[in-house]
Amino acid sequence: MGNSLKAIVAFVPFNKCQKYLLEDLEEMPVDKMVDLSGRQLRRLPLHICSFRELVKLYLSDNNLNHLPPELEQLQNLQILALDFNNFKALPLVVCTLKQLCILYLGNNKLCSLPLELRLLQNLKTLWIESNCLQYLPEVVCELSLLRTLHAGSNALRTLPPQLQCLQELRTIWLSGNLLAEFPPVLLDMPFLEVIDVDRNSIRFFPSLAHLPGLKLVIYDHNPCRNAPKVAKGVRRVGRWSEETPEPRKRSGAVIDITLDEKPLLPPATKAEPE
């Protein structure tokens, strides 16, 4: 169905257009996944909440700004994609889905996250890029199993010191923020493998050579006067990166890593829980 047609149908009274937009999705698919991305939905169809064995629910690229309380019935859900919608606040019902491993909230209008987010203690990947965050909510620091945090394209100026409590965190993406200095808390996180501070306002980089887990640091597009010092074998992307301790061919904008992918992926290929 073409996007323009879907947009027109979306303004028809909900009961009349729902079946058309959902293309007769009446029973839970065998693969326990429902992908309703790009359907111009303004409300989540309630019968989806009856699919109690559902594991993956993709609602990306719609017109959603709230979710029904019935969503709480999906207690087996591990992946929930709410990116590219109109959420100004995270619906609290999301915080009742305690089996969630991956939560996509990027490209919304979030200015904060609720304290109830701490209930998602199985969360391993959190995408909150391209929102309206002026600070990283401290509740994120209570997600003890978090391994990947995507917080790029917000308005972050610093990071809370409590972030170092996330000892499972391996990848942090902070590109496109307002960082004027390299976040000091990252210097106390030796388990980090990937640090991305591309497109900020950092003028000086401290040495990162003491971080034994570091594999990749991206610091391009900063008004820096130096490149961060790194240990042997650590990949750098940015000015003067050819001075890395061991000879490597630069690959330009292509970053060949097998860790979590940085670009926002289409719903069908988004990351799976580990």
Side-chain angles (χ1 to χ4, degrees):
M1 186 192 307
N3 288 336
S4 58
L5 182 56
K6 287 180 180 179
I8 294 173
V9 174
F11 284 95
V12 178
F14 187 71
N15 291 335
K16 294 182 180 179
C17 73
Q18 174 176 307
K19 185 175 180 180
Y20 185 58
L21 288 172
L22 298 185
E23 300 175 358
D24 297 322
L25 179 61
E26 297 179 356
E27 298 181 358
M28 186 180 72
V30 177
D31 60 4
K32 299 182 180 180
M33 179 185 77
V34 169
D35 186 353
L36 298 177
S37 302
R39 305 295 182 94
Q40 301 294 327
L41 296 175
R42 291 176 289 156
R43 284 181 282 177
L44 176 66
L46 286 181
H47 79 278
I48 299 298
C49 300
S50 68
F51 299 166
R52 300 198 177 193
E53 299 302 314
L54 199 65
V55 173
K56 308 170 190 176
L57 178 58
Y58 296 101
L59 300 172
S60 308
D61 193 19
N62 281 293
N63 295 312
L64 300 173
N65 56 29
H66 69 281
L67 294 172
E70 289 83 356
L71 189 73
E72 186 176 5
Q73 299 175 36
L74 303 182
Q75 286 301 311
N76 290 302
L77 207 62
Q78 295 181 31
I79 302 177
L80 178 60
L82 300 174
D83 46 328
F84 292 93
N85 276 285
N86 295 315
F87 292 103
K88 294 183 179 180
L90 179 64
L92 293 182
V93 67
V94 172
C95 301
T96 68
L97 306 174
K98 297 183 180 180
Q99 296 305 313
L100 278 184
C101 296
I102 301 177
L103 179 58
Y104 297 95
L105 299 175
N107 290 273
N108 279 285
K109 301 173 182 177
L110 302 174
C111 294
S112 63
L113 294 173
L115 293 176
E116 288 81 356
L117 189 73
R118 62 167 65 108
L119 299 175
L120 301 182
Q121 285 299 308
N122 284 307
L123 205 62
K124 295 182 179 180
T125 299
L126 177 62
W127 293 60
I128 50 176
E129 80 288 351
S130 298
N131 275 285
C132 304
L133 299 171
Q134 297 185 10
Y135 61 93
L136 184 68
E138 292 185 5
V139 66
V140 173
C141 304
E142 299 184 45
L143 303 173
S144 60
L145 295 183
L146 197 66
R147 292 183 60 86
T148 302
L149 176 60
H150 293 257
S153 299
N154 280 285
L156 304 181
R157 297 180 181 274
T158 186
L159 297 179
Q162 296 90 329
L163 193 69
Q164 65 179 304
C165 296
L166 297 182
Q167 298 192 13
E168 296 299 321
L169 193 66
R170 298 294 180 266
T171 305
I172 185 165
W173 306 101
L174 299 166
S175 62
N177 277 286
L178 301 176
L179 300 173
E181 66 172 346
F182 187 84
V185 65
L186 300 184
L187 300 175
D188 297 322
M189 300 177 70
F191 33 81
L192 283 176
E193 297 178 358
V194 177
I195 299 174
D196 177 12
V197 290
D198 183 33
R199 299 184 186 280
N200 277 277
S201 300
I202 301 173
R203 294 185 174 277
F204 177 79
F205 280 94
S207 174
L208 305 179
H210 67 289
L211 300 180
L214 194 62
K215 297 178 179 179
L216 170 67
V217 55
I218 308 171
Y219 65 96
D220 211 5
H221 303 99
N222 279 280
C224 53
R225 303 188 302 269
N226 69 309
K229 293 182 179 180
V230 294
K232 183 178 181 180
V234 177
R235 175 80 182 282
R236 298 185 299 182
V237 177
R239 295 178 66 190
W240 311 292
S241 62
E242 64 272 12
E243 298 174 11
T244 184
E246 61 180 14
R248 288 176 178 269
K249 291 184 179 180
R250 297 189 65 187
S251 58
V254 177
I255 303 166
D256 184 17
I257 57 175
T258 57
L259 303 168
D260 292 1
E261 296 293 336
K262 181 184 177 185
L264 186 62
L265 304 175
T269 58
K270 280 181 177 175
E272 300 285 332
E274 296 182 358

